Amino acid sequence: EDQVTQSPEALRLQEGESSSLNCSYTVSGLRGLFWYRQDPGKGPEFLFTLYSAGEEKEKERLKATLTKKESFLHITAPKPEDSATYLCAVSTSGTYKYIFGTGTRLKVLA
Amino acid sequence: NAGVTQTPKFQVLKTGQSMTLQCAQDMNHEYMSWYRQDPGMGLRLIHYSVGAGITDQGEVPNGYNVSRSTTEDFPLRLLSAAPSQTSVYFCASSYSLMAGEYGYTFGSGTRLTVV
């Protein structure tokens, strides 16, 4: 069964304290892996798409990487405004399915 | 501003009532979908559409109906509300089914409570 698991469920960081969020996946065929940011009371906001192992993408303090079994979202020197829930999703080959993980709630303290 | 607009933002229904959640996008996206988000669970696909006149079921379609008469609008109808349908509902759109390089654009959600 296709599955996406995110860890940790919640993470508290001090401002400037770098860390990584994990998204592990088990799918029959990966078409793409997506990262989204969701602020309280809002819809998810698209961040990155990764297609193949070894691929990396960056945006400001965020860097997403992909291996054959997992993806990491690295946050370098985070700021309080980076506090949000980060969602991972995968799309699988040959279907419409877009499977979301349950997210990591990140809190960055000033 | 271009994007996905959902109405209403909040709604309380009594068990057995029906209602329609509205979703409109102004980006000329062909693909539109409805998700529900519940605590401890990932977003789950209810119904989706790949273009005007074409809809299909997602992972959790029971109790919901959709139609797509225009490219812009994709309403979600709850036929007879049940407490299990208490959730936050998101509408999303994209230029294609697989989203690709630009991902999905989500609306701000409708928080529905069924009592």
Side-chain angles (χ1 to χ4, degrees):
Chain A
E1 181 183 348
D2 296 334
Q3 195 169 357
V4 176
T5 303
Q6 292 188 247
S7 62
E9 286 187 15
L11 182 63
R12 291 167 67 95
L13 299 173
Q14 292 292 325
E15 185 173 4
E17 179 186 2
S18 301
S19 187
S20 296
L21 313 183
N22 178 263
C23 172
S24 63
Y25 61 91
T26 305
V27 296
S28 53
L30 180 70
R31 183 185 292 270
L33 186 141
F34 304 82
W35 283 98
Y36 288 82
R37 168 189 172 128
Q38 186 174 22
D39 293 300
K42 295 189 176 181
E45 177 185 351
F46 172 72
L47 293 173
F48 304 111
T49 305
L50 301 167
Y51 292 105
S52 57
E55 189 174 0
E56 300 182 350
K57 288 194 177 174
E58 290 187 66
K59 180 180 181 179
E60 297 180 357
R61 295 177 291 282
L62 301 177
K63 179 180 177 180
T65 63
L66 182 65
T67 73
K68 288 186 177 180
K69 292 184 178 181
E70 57 193 348
S71 176
F72 292 94
L73 186 65
H74 308 277
I75 303 176
T76 302
K79 298 182 178 182
E81 53 262 42
D82 294 322
S83 298
T85 296
Y86 290 86
L87 302 174
C88 168
V90 299
S91 65
T92 59
S93 300
T95 76
Y96 64 83
K97 287 186 178 181
Y98 197 83
I99 304 166
F100 280 88
T102 53
T104 293
R105 295 188 311 277
L106 174 66
K107 178 73 173 178
V108 181
L109 305 171
Chain B
N1 290 338
V4 177
T5 302
Q6 290 185 237
T7 56
K9 293 189 181 302
F10 301 94
Q11 183 70 49
V12 179
L13 287 179
K14 293 183 178 180
T15 297
Q17 287 185 319
S18 62
M19 79 160 294
T20 299
L21 308 185
Q22 301 291 344
C23 175
Q25 54 91 8
D26 58 3
M27 298 169 285
N28 203 32
H29 284 169
E30 288 296 322
Y31 176 82
M32 297 185 73
S33 57
W34 277 99
Y35 285 87
R36 60 178 289 173
Q37 187 173 41
D38 301 292
M41 306 185 75
L43 286 154
R44 293 181 293 168
L45 182 64
I46 304 171
H47 285 286
Y48 69 99
S49 169
V50 297
I54 306 170
T55 64
D56 205 346
Q57 297 181 351
E59 182 184 358
V60 288
N62 292 341
Y64 308 96
N65 270 357
V66 292
S67 61
R68 183 116 179 253
S69 57
T70 68
T71 299
E72 294 79 19
D73 300 300
F74 191 45
L76 178 72
R77 282 182 290 278
L78 278 70
L79 309 173
S80 176
S84 60
Q85 293 180 304
T86 294
S87 187
V88 181
Y89 291 85
F90 289 102
C91 179
S93 74
S94 176
Y95 73 93
S96 75
L97 178 63
M98 287 300 137
E101 209 52 39
Y102 303 102
Y104 291 152
T105 301
F106 282 84
S108 58
T110 295
R111 184 174 296 273
L112 176 68
T113 301
V114 182
V115 297

